[in-house]
Each structure stands twice: as structure tokens, then as C-alpha cells.
Amino acid sequence: MERGVVIRNRQLLWAVSALALSVALPMAPVHAAPATASTKAVYKDATAPIEARVDDLLARMTLDEKIAQITTVWMDKVKIFDAQLQLDPAKLAAQYPNGLGHFTRPSDAKGAVSPRVAPGRNPRQTVALVNALQKWATTQTRLGIPILFHEEGLHGYAAVGATSFPQSIAMASSFDTAMLRDVNAVIAREIRVRGVSMVLSPVVDIARDPRWGRIEETYGEDPYLVGEMGVAAVEGLQGGGRSRDLRPGKVFATLKHLTGHGQPESGTNVGPAPVSERELRENFFPPFEQVVKRTGIEAVMASYNEIDGVPSHANRWLLEDVLREEWGFKGAVVSDYSAVDQLMSIHHIAANLEEAAIRALDAGVDADLPDGLSYATLGKLVREGKVSEAKVDLATRRMLELKFRAGLFENPYADAAASEKITNNAEARALALKSAQRSITLLKNDGMLPLKPEGAIAVIGPSAAVARLGGYYGQPPHTVSILEGIKAKVGIRANIVFAQGVKITENDDWWEDKVTQSDPAENRKLIAQAVEAAKNVDRIVLTLGDTEQSSREGWADNHLGDRPSLDIVGEQQALFDALKALGKPITVVLINGRPASTVTISEQANAILEGWYLGEQGGNAVADVLFGDVNPGGKLPVTVPRSVGQLPLFYNAKPSARRGYLFDTTDPLYPFGFGLSYTTFDLSAPRLAVATIGTGGKTTVSVDVRNSGAREGDEVVQLYIRDKVSSVTRPIKELKGFQRITLKPGETRTVSFTISPQSLWMWNDHMERVVEPGDFEIMTGNSSVALQSATLTVTP
């Protein structure tokens, strides 16, 4: 969880760390005296190579100053503020005599507190804090080293006034990498203009267990889709190409969480990842590898979980051998929030914070977020000979490089007026609407949709009159609920009737620790009111799903977010049943953070839209789709199970999986890649340009797509490949390409994919990545189950 040092954990850690901190903070240098002021300051020369500038600066730094660069502040930021939460330079100098290297989330008020309790800083206030901190750092500290700031920006800058886009799982449903790149470009500029150079995004964990509350933060279950989306997100945040230097209006992305995080034991967050090296290399590693090798990614965040008994923050094989040596990563590895401390408090592979610091530093973790409790002990450890100062130097070097590459030594300041002008401007709001429209997936339609804007329409449900933004939400200046969107769409042409129907949870604040389900007796009253309201209408639009509390990141024992059931929470099923009994046509709009096993609803509803969380413009986007101004074209980035007993359930299973169940089926409720349209499409069988290639060869597969319906629409053409006979077991199919296209009625277009060795390679029984000769089934279609095939032969 990239913000969660919960109070309970901190109380445990403070007692252990108080003595260590009191010893560690007033450290004296243990090496030769720093270079004198007369020595030429190469690090201040913008024309010098970055490596030379870092060398020069490191040579001038004391051990205390180095450690300041690899620690940060979040919960303790209140100690440097006055009563009005404004920066107090005297307190700052007293608290951080050796400088302040890294600052967590300058946009929040005072650390890990809900913005509903302590509203965050608006653009002008954030810039004022950033500039005041930078002025102190660059003019009042010995070496004038600027501060690195980071923020959250998963689906929009999580700050006051910023634009809120659809949640990650929703944007993955678009199968539109260009759109995702554009969204992240807006996120980048809204963050950078406030003087912040780093964002903790994107998440490229594959999501393999829908009980896990963080599934909403991912791009789905498939390594190829997640990798392509991850590359697009990083390109949006940092710019295209592999340049490591930060460009104007861009921020350093942080690739997270390496790895195994998305299939925790029992579906509970931070649980062990019971996966083998083969599973890592075939499924969990590829999205990270693709981003590292194709972009200029400069930061990677390790994951909370353990793999084969070794927590990722202590896993040198993972962070050094694989990430740096195999993939060639050159940037900084940062910790997830308090994850270094958790080597002691949760994993118990360290007896205290000092041992936790030793393990993490040795594994290759360069910065201790968000408060630096463990790494603050490193000075004492170096003096005692338990840690080499060279290891501290290496971590410090990597964090300093980020500052040089961001240009902070030349210009660390932000412009408040520019921040106000660019944040949530008309262009950003238009993109928020477009991304929501393209994320909506039509799961069922018996002809009820598009709705006609006439007669009486009941809009009912717990998410009808509120815009749900999902986890890591921001605070946009204006949001549009589904009810508001529908009313704006139809105007006076239809009579809109509203009823809440049920409440899901008493509170919907994602930050709040305690989650209380709403009272069933009160919900029964609300259901009765909804039935009464809907008795005389022509059609019903019913919203069902989650609040930000019923599925979320569970970051502590007292802040849970995972669930053992996939059923919709509380009395929502009873609400649907009562409305169905009226005999009215019902369209269900799912607003949720994870797949729901809505078996009865799927059978009985007339139409179903999957929206996930759609951001600030979600209500307008849903109305556009409901009334046909937008033809839905989204596809599911996850498999939707019928029940929790089917788990794990993903499309790229092994051949021996899912033989069958007594009294039930192994088929999902909805398959990966599935989504309908208001028009129809005819896809031809795949055609191979060359049907026989060598192990190093390439070929092209082409598919003709015709819009055979009466209106323009989007189709996502998908390419899957299966190795028919192999030396180790291989999945029954694997996604290797996709293209979203728009066709007018009667229009035909040919979509082509290149099949390269990368499309065919596998890890053999010696854990070598090879292309094995043999026959491959090449499958194309518009979902993972609606496929036609051809055979490609690969010769030695």
C-alpha cells in the first residue's frame, strides 16, 4: 500500500526504533572530511555529465547527508508545520540538520489522514509548500541538494482539484493503449506543474484472484495486456523512447509491485505468493520486463509479499539478479510504504529495524518510504562496521541521479499560476469523459439498449446518485453521478424517478479503517421505497456493485479490504429480485472494484453494463452509452467467475486444469476479452502470410473485420497462440496481440499482427527461453472463446 503506515503499525515500530533514531540522527562523519568549499563544484555544473556530477557531490557528502537522501518524511511532516499546517523553517532546520532528501505527498494536509477529515492542499497551496521546502533545501543546507517529491497518480493525481480518470481496471477494459498514454500524460503534467517529479504508478501486477481487493488497481489478469498497458502508461508519464532524463511536463513513473502481489494466498493482501520460478517467468515477470526494456523507467517498487519464503524487499535474486542484471534496469528501487520495517513486524526475518535495513539495502532497495524508519539506523550500522558505507553510497547515488535527471539542481521550483491554469482544464475533462466512454463494457443486451429518452425511467441503486472514484482517488472539483448524467441527457423528454434502493456500507471513505455493512432492516425499507417508486415507470436502470470500502486495499489488520465471497454485498440481490418482480425491463450498471458473481442477475437482467469505477465524468459516460450516443466497445480484462469455488480462474489455463465439477460447470460467467456492441461484426478466419518459418523467423497473420450491423462501432480483434506439443506444459492459449478499431456500417478492414520469436518463446525444462520447433495454433477473434484458427509450423 503506497501510503499506509497505519497507526497500529507505527505504535509497534516507534518503541523499537526510538533508541536507534536518537543514536542515528546526530551522526558524525566516519570518512575523510568533505571537500573544501574551494574545490570546484562539478555537481553544480549543468553541462557536466550526470555521472561526474554525482561523483563530485558524493565526495562532498557526510554519511549523515547521504542517509538523508535515501529516507523520507510523511507522518512526521506535522513536526515541521505550524498550527496552520504551513512550513516552519526553524522547525525544519532543527528536525533535519543534514538536509531532507525525499518528501512524501506534499499535496496532503498532514500525512496518512483521509482528505475528508483533513482536506489536502489545492494547487496554489501545494506549490507554496514545495517551493518553500526547495528554497530551504537549496539555500539553507550545506550542499544545497534539492528535495525529491512523490505523489500518487494511479488513475489521476490523488490531490485537490486534479482530474479523476477511470480506475485502472476500467481503462484496461478499453484495450486502448493510445488512450491510456494520453490519460497518463495529463496525470503527469498535473503533478509536475506542482513541482513534483515522481509518481507511484503504474501497477503492472497481473490480477489472478478476484477476492483480492487491489484488483481494481491493475490492468487485469493477462501478462501481455498488462505489459502493453504498462508500457503505454509509462510513456504517458515520462514520454516515449528510452531517454532517462525527465522532460518538461513529465514525471518519473514507478513500476510496481515487483512481484507476485496479484495472486496472494487466500486472496488476502500482502499474503505469500505461492508461485514457482516458472510461474514468475511466464506470467508475473513479463509486464515488468517489457516496461524495463522498452521505456526509460527510472523507478521500481518492490512488493510486500514473500516468494518462496523470501520477502521481495529482502530478495536480492529478484531485485539485483533479475531486475538489474537480466533486464538491465539502471534506476532506483524504492520500498513500498513501511515494507522495509515489515521485514521485522510482519515477516519476522529481522529482529529489529537495524536488521531490516541491512537486509533491504543488501537486496538492492535504494530508498525507504514513506518515513525512513529503518534506513535512519544505517549511520549507526556503518559506524559499527555492520554495513559498508559503499552500499549506502550506491543507494544514495541512484536517488541523486533521479534529481539530476529531473533537472532539480537547475530549477526546483513550481509556478502556482500555471498549476491553477492547467489542472482539470477543459482538455483534461474531455479526456476524462472519453476514457470513461471507452472503458464501459456491454455484457448483455436483449434489445433493451439503447434506451429511448421518453416515458418514465427509474434510476435506482446505491451508486446512482454518487460518483464512485475507487481507491487512490483524487478530489476533482466536480463529479457527475449516473443520475445527474441521465437527467442532463434526457432533459424534459423523459420523467426520471430516483430511489436509493439499498446502502452497501455505512461509510464509503476508502481511508476509514472500520467498515460496517448497512443495516438489513433499513435496507428492506429502502427496497420497499424503490419498488413503490418504480411501479409506474416504463424501464429501470439499476446500479449495483461496490463502495470504495467493500473492495479495496487491505493495508493492515485493522484496515481490511479483501473478501472471501464474490457475491454482491448486502441486500443488493434482494433489491434486484424485488424490482424484477414488477415485470419491468431492467438494465443493470455494475459500478465495482472487482468482478462480481452475479449469476442470477446475468440470467434475468435485460441488459448489463460493466463500468468498474469511471472517474469524474462517469455519469455522463454511462448516460451516453445507455441512450446510444456512444456505442460501447470495451472488453473484459479479467475472467468473471460464477462462484468463488472456481478460483483460480483465468483464461490461459494449463491443459490439465478444469476437468469438471459435479453439479456445476467450469465455464466462467463471462470470459476474458468478452464484450458486446450495439452493432455486429463478422471476422474472417486468420490468414498467415507464411505458414512455415524457422525458430528465428517472422510471419504476419491477417483478419478481415466487417461491420455487419446498422451503426458505427468498435471491435477489439484479439490474437491468441497455442504451442500444440512442447517439452513442458504450456497454456491452452495466450494473448499475443490486440487492436481496437472503429468501423462504419458495412465497412471492412483488414487487421494484421506480426508473429515473431517473442510471440512463440517459452521457458523450457532447463529454464532457458527458447522457441521450440513444432506446430502452433494461431487463433483470432473478438474474445478468448470466440476464435478461429490456422496452423503455423516452426522448423529447426
Side-chain angles (χ1 to χ4, degrees), residues 410-737:
E410 285 66 59
N411 181 20
Y413 300 113
D415 183 333
S419 180
E420 288 183 324
K421 181 179 180 180
I422 203 172
T423 300
N424 198 247
N425 62 13
E427 179 190 9
R429 294 192 299 272
L431 184 58
L433 176 60
K434 175 185 175 182
S435 58
Q437 292 168 340
R438 294 179 72 79
S439 297
I440 294 171
T441 304
L442 179 63
L443 299 180
K444 181 180 181 180
N445 187 22
D446 67 358
M448 181 179 179
L449 296 182
L451 297 176
K452 294 181 179 179
E454 59 189 32
I457 303 172
V459 181
I460 297 172
S463 295
V466 59
R468 301 206 183 279
L469 303 180
Y472 290 97
Y473 65 88
Q475 301 155 70
H478 181 63
T479 60
V480 182
S481 71
I482 292 173
L483 178 62
E484 291 170 328
I486 289 174
K487 285 183 175 181
K489 175 68 63 177
V490 303
I492 62 174
R493 293 177 294 170
N495 177 31
I496 303 300
V497 177
F498 167 70
Q500 183 173 0
V502 297
K503 288 183 69 176
I504 300 173
T505 53
E506 287 300 317
N507 188 349
D508 62 359
D509 187 355
W510 179 78
W511 287 81
E512 180 67 33
D513 289 335
K514 185 178 181 181
V515 177
T516 302
Q517 280 189 239
S518 295
D519 179 18
E522 291 300 315
N523 273 340
R524 285 191 288 270
K525 294 178 183 178
L526 291 174
I527 291 172
Q529 293 171 10
V531 169
E532 187 64 28
K535 277 184 177 179
N536 297 315
V537 304
D538 302 302
R539 287 146 290 166
I540 299 171
V541 175
L542 175 62
T543 70
L544 300 172
D546 287 315
T547 71
E548 285 86 350
Q549 284 194 334
S550 61
S551 177
R552 64 178 183 179
E553 178 184 357
W555 65 67
D557 295 347
N558 66 336
H559 187 106
L560 300 175
D562 313 303
R563 298 208 330 265
S565 169
L566 300 181
D567 297 335
I568 52 176
V569 177
E571 286 66 51
Q572 294 185 87
Q573 183 66 55
L575 171 62
F576 175 84
D577 294 341
L579 293 173
K580 181 66 179 177
L582 293 174
K584 313 285 185 179
I586 300 179
T587 293
V588 170
V589 181
L590 296 171
I591 301 296
N592 48 341
R594 63 179 189 161
S597 294
T598 54
V599 177
T600 300
I601 292 168
S602 295
E603 292 171 350
Q604 297 182 3
N606 298 86
I608 301 175
L609 294 175
E610 176 59 82
W612 308 108
Y613 296 122
L614 288 168
E616 65 178 62
Q617 291 291 321
N620 285 331
V622 169
D624 288 339
V625 170
L626 286 174
F627 292 95
D629 292 334
V630 169
N631 190 350
K635 302 285 185 175
L636 288 175
V638 290
T639 302
V640 180
R642 291 179 175 274
S643 71
V644 74
Q646 291 182 314
L647 300 182
L649 187 66
F650 35 82
Y651 84 91
N652 52 344
K654 291 297 185 70
S656 60
R658 302 167 197 161
R659 174 171 289 170
Y661 292 117
L662 287 172
F663 318 125
D664 209 338
T665 179
T666 60
D667 292 338
L669 184 60
Y670 296 107
F672 174 86
F674 175 78
L676 302 173
S677 172
Y678 294 155
T679 189
T680 56
F681 297 93
D682 297 329
L683 279 71
S684 72
R687 301 187 306 276
L688 291 168
V690 178
T692 301
I693 61 174
T695 55
K698 296 182 179 181
T699 189
T700 300
V701 57
S702 299
V703 182
D704 299 328
V705 186
R706 178 176 179 269
N707 183 342
S708 54
R711 61 170 295 166
E712 182 176 282
D714 286 8
E715 183 61 285
V716 179
V717 185
Q718 301 161 43
L719 166 69
Y720 297 84
I721 295 179
R722 178 191 178 191
D723 191 347
K724 291 186 177 182
V725 179
S726 49
S727 61
V728 297
T729 61
R730 302 290 298 132
I732 56 175
K733 64 189 73 168
E734 295 179 282
L735 183 70
K736 294 297 181 180

Side-chain angles (χ1 to χ4, degrees), residues 166-215:
Q167 181 57 287
S168 295
I169 193 73
M171 289 193 286
S173 301
S174 73
F175 279 68
D176 187 343
T177 55
M179 182 202 78
L180 188 66
R181 191 177 296 110
D182 291 343
V183 164
N184 279 275
V186 171
I187 294 171
R189 77 186 188 200
E190 292 192 353
I191 293 175
R192 183 67 181 279
V193 77
R194 295 197 200 185
V196 176
S197 302
M198 183 177 180
V199 62
L200 304 186
S201 178
V203 172
V204 292
D205 300 306
I206 61 167
R208 289 295 183 98
D209 195 322
R211 295 173 295 181
W212 182 51
R214 299 196 74 171
I215 193 170

